[in-house]
Amino acid sequence: MGLDKKSAIENGKTALGIEFGSTRIKAVLTDDMHKVLAIGTHDWENQLVDNIWTYRLECIWEGLQNCYQNLANSVETQYGIKLKTLGAIGFSGMMHGYMAFDKSGEILVPFRTWRNTMTQEASRILTELLDYHIPQRWSIAHLYQAVLNHEEHVQNIEYLTTLAGYIHWKLSGERVLGVGEASGMFPIDIHTKNYNQQMIAQFDALISEKQYPWKLADILPKVLAAGDKAGTLTQAGTKLLDVTGTLEAGIPLCPPEGDAGTGMVATNSVAQRTGNISAGTSVFAMAVLERELSKSYEELDLVTTPDGNLVAMVHCNNGTSDLNAWVHLFKEFQEAMGNKVDIDALYSTLYQKALEGDADCGGLLAYGYYSGEHMTGFAEGRPLFVRTPDANFTLANFMRVHLFTALGAVKIGMDILFEQENVLLDELLAHGGLFKTKGVGQRIVAAALNVPVSVMNTAGEGGAWGIAVLANYMIKRDCGESLSDYLSHKVFASEQSMRIEPNATDAAGFARFIERYKRGLAIEREAVDNMTEGI
């Protein structure tokens, strides 16, 4: 039995997970039974600076500190005690991207996030060299593109990491990554659960003529698996995390992980034949494979679970950003009419309305391409809505098409797994903002992918809760206990979930929509080519 909530907090029988999402930083404090005790949040946005999507370091630290303080204030309000110690801490973040530092620990160029699609040449060359798909957003693609661009900073690199790795490093002094996060920097050998050494040698040979003062293995973080110890919170780290000085040093830290890995944990989908889908600002779906794929596919990424099992990932840059923009436009209209608007109620109303629409959205078409979308071959994007004069233009169909199109690119990628590689999934477990309105997002995904979709009660806490579970796993697991067994027996044994089977009418409607989506990509191309800034 777990301690009562107040005693758990006072005695440090807790785990804290903090995840840096695209638009929100979230902290979740759990007890020793993985139950949520308190939550803290901080909203933030990336900036497009010199045509590069980035977050300033000041925003990273301000966001972390505000998020933590929000959590600490919640603890004090709910339980009447100050947060002084914790059982373990874990950090997670958006995977991939490029954070390069010199020997003094100073960042060499602004943080280049996963959202950038400027590494096409590097991606192509590395994929051919390694015979392994290297997506544009991977850290190694960013590094090699900087080499190709003759960027001066490359010779001064002493450490290369991700956002989660950066936070962990500054708070613990440890230059490490969880294997799932590391698999988004450079390919992993699933037998050694470390970077693929042959590919490391191939990369070093590729850039040897540059005579840089480093080898790739020297600048990458050390790879750790779930359950491994990854250092402790230093005295300097406590000051970066808790500006009030209340939190004590010495708290154990688990390996930092990416949002893909924490999503797997949060949905109990780290075992083979399980899969999960995360739908929010970006959309990604993944399947834990029973075997290696027959060949590499440009549309599929191979990453790993936090304990090192091979995963096929379909990652799409664009998800619900355009959908969110339309919802906020409706909010603005309501407020202009003098009506007070509850944004959550507005989302729920509009999402439910979508279920009343025609199965195929009545002939409407939309693309939520805020940025490039590699799945369909776009380096840039333009949000777009288009219809024929005789289309059934209703509010229900309008909302339905924006829900459908948020899943258009991921549908194209998942069809490769299902149709060409004969991958079998018993169900997909869903998490992310798309699923906050009960039943709607699930039903749409089930129709799109023709797979049963379940949402767990805990999935609403998402990756922040997932990394807290990984922190607890590090300090609580029995000797030799696998992550899959730990999740099944100690985390999700009594978990309730809601499962929705594919609806035949919805599935047929989505099939008609996706054909329209594929044909209409020519319209999106014209928009990208002809609609530029200032027009």
Side-chain angles (χ1 to χ4, degrees):
M1 295 294 291
L3 300 170
D4 70 79
K5 294 178 179 181
K6 186 173 181 178
S7 295
I9 296 170
E10 289 177 326
N11 292 289
K13 301 298 183 181
T14 53
L16 173 63
I18 300 180
E19 181 160 279
F20 287 73
S22 299
T23 59
R24 174 171 288 189
I25 304 170
K26 186 171 185 177
V28 172
L29 183 69
T30 69
D31 64 13
D32 60 339
M33 301 297 287
H34 312 99
K35 303 300 182 184
V36 175
L37 297 171
I39 294 172
T41 62
H42 173 83
D43 292 335
W44 70 338
E45 287 285 351
N46 54 193
Q47 301 90 38
L48 187 63
V49 180
D50 296 329
N51 211 33
I52 292 174
W53 290 106
T54 188
Y55 298 86
R56 293 185 298 109
L57 295 191
E58 296 87 348
C59 293
I60 293 172
W61 292 112
E62 177 186 331
L64 174 64
Q65 292 161 0
N66 286 350
C67 180
Y68 177 81
Q69 197 56 52
N70 187 265
L71 173 91
N73 290 342
S74 177
V75 168
E76 188 167 7
T77 298
Q78 291 185 72
Y79 307 106
I81 52 177
K82 291 186 179 295
L83 196 56
K84 294 183 178 180
T85 189
L86 299 158
I89 306 175
F91 295 99
S92 175
M94 300 167 281
M95 290 179 69
H96 321 295
Y98 185 77
M99 299 190 81
F101 299 88
D102 64 18
K103 62 182 179 182
S104 64
E106 296 297 318
I107 196 162
L108 289 164
V109 291
F111 172 28
R112 299 171 181 176
T113 77
W114 61 271
R115 195 173 187 179
N116 291 287
T117 53
M118 61 199 186
T119 61
Q120 186 173 5
E121 184 182 8
S123 173
R124 176 184 58 79
I125 293 172
L126 291 176
T127 296
E128 292 176 0
L129 174 73
L130 305 177
D131 191 25
Y132 195 101
H133 180 222
I134 304 297
Q136 289 196 50
R137 66 187 181 282
W138 279 28
S139 306
I140 193 62
H142 281 279
L143 173 61
Y144 188 53
Q145 191 65 54
V147 172
L148 292 174
N149 294 345
H150 308 290
E151 296 188 39
E152 292 184 5
H153 80 272
V154 176
Q155 64 182 347
N156 298 318
I157 296 176
E158 205 260 344
Y159 184 44
L160 180 65
T161 190
T162 65
L163 177 58
Y166 168 65
I167 297 294
H168 185 99
W169 169 40
K170 290 300 183 181
L171 269 62
S172 70
E174 300 290 336
R175 298 182 175 186
V176 300
L177 278 186
V179 63
E181 174 79 330
S183 70
M185 292 193 75
F186 193 84
I188 295 293
D189 181 337
I190 61 171
H191 304 292
T192 65
K193 303 192 188 306
N194 200 348
Y195 302 117
N196 187 300
Q197 295 304 304
Q198 179 181 342
M199 294 182 186
I200 290 268
Q202 288 176 284
F203 182 85
D204 285 337
L206 177 66
I207 65 169
S208 60
E209 65 178 21
K210 299 290 186 179
Q211 297 185 326
Y212 293 128
W214 49 263
K215 297 291 186 182
L216 183 58
D218 299 332
I219 64 173
L220 291 176
K222 179 182 178 182
V223 180
L224 299 176
D228 288 344
K229 292 180 171 57
T232 59
L233 184 67
T234 63
Q235 195 64 51
T238 63
K239 295 176 182 177
L240 286 172
L241 181 60
D242 179 13
V243 295
T244 70
T246 306
L247 191 65
E248 299 170 356
I251 299 167
L253 271 64
C254 73
E257 265 298 347
D259 50 2
T262 57
M264 295 181 217
V265 171
T267 54
N268 192 21
S269 48
V270 302
Q272 293 177 350
R273 284 181 69 104
T274 63
N276 77 86
I277 182 168
S278 171
T281 305
S282 62
V283 180
F284 56 80
M286 53 190 60
V288 185
L289 301 177
E290 297 178 275
R291 55 175 174 78
E292 294 185 317
L293 298 180
S294 63
K295 62 178 183 178
S296 73
Y297 295 88
E298 183 179 349
E299 299 87 351
L300 302 178
D301 304 350
L302 292 176
V303 292
T304 77
T305 62
D307 55 347
N309 289 321
L310 190 64
V311 175
M313 176 197 288
V314 177
H315 185 285
C316 304
N317 284 355
N318 299 282
T320 59
S321 291
D322 194 40
L323 173 60
N324 294 339
W326 283 108
V327 173
H328 282 272
L329 185 69
F330 289 129
K331 176 177 181 287
E332 185 179 345
F333 166 73
Q334 286 280 1
E335 290 172 342
M337 294 291 291
N339 300 320
K340 187 176 181 181
V341 180
D342 181 299
I343 191 66
D344 291 333
L346 181 59
Y347 267 102
S348 180
T349 299
L350 291 172
Y351 276 34
Q352 291 290 346
K353 192 69 179 177
L355 299 183
E356 301 174 15
D358 298 323
D360 69 345
C361 309
L364 306 185
L365 181 60
Y367 296 95
Y369 287 10
Y370 263 57
S371 60
E373 187 55 74
H374 75 98
M375 192 65 62
T376 48
F378 286 84
E380 297 180 57
R382 301 290 185 272
L384 178 68
F385 170 71
V386 64
R387 63 187 175 97
T388 59
D390 61 345
N392 190 13
F393 187 36
T394 65
L395 177 60
N397 281 335
F398 184 81
M399 292 307 303
R400 190 176 182 90
V401 78
H402 281 90
L403 284 166
F404 270 30
T405 201
L407 302 168
V410 78
K411 164 68 171 175
I412 291 171
M414 288 298 284
D415 278 351
I416 295 172
L417 280 179
F418 295 146
E419 297 174 5
Q420 299 184 43
E421 290 290 334
N422 299 312
V423 168
L424 299 175
L425 292 178
D426 297 324
E427 68 177 348
L428 278 173
L429 293 125
H431 59 110
L434 185 67
F435 307 103
K436 286 185 177 179
T437 300
K438 186 175 181 180
V440 177
Q442 272 180 277
R443 181 170 158 182
I444 301 297
V445 172
L449 303 181
N450 209 24
V451 172
V453 178
S454 294
V455 171
M456 296 180 176
N457 293 336
T458 52
E461 307 306 340
W465 182 79
I467 191 65
V469 170
L470 286 172
N472 249 328
Y473 173 63
M474 179 187 68
I475 60 175
K476 288 190 60 183
R477 66 170 177 158
D478 296 331
C479 183
E481 185 178 26
S482 71
L483 178 60
S484 177
D485 285 345
Y486 181 85
L487 294 177
S488 295
H489 302 149
K490 295 182 178 176
V491 181
F492 293 103
S494 60
E495 180 63 33
Q496 299 295 314
S497 64
M498 183 178 75
R499 176 177 167 123
I500 290 182
E501 301 287 336
N503 175 284
T505 301
D506 287 341
F510 198 96
R512 293 193 297 274
F513 163 78
I514 201 65
E515 290 307 312
R516 186 186 315 133
Y517 179 98
K518 292 175 182 176
R519 293 195 305 270
L521 288 169
I523 308 170
E524 175 69 16
R525 178 66 62 195
E526 288 296 318
V528 170
D529 291 344
N530 293 285
M531 190 173 184
T532 59
E533 187 176 355
I535 293 181

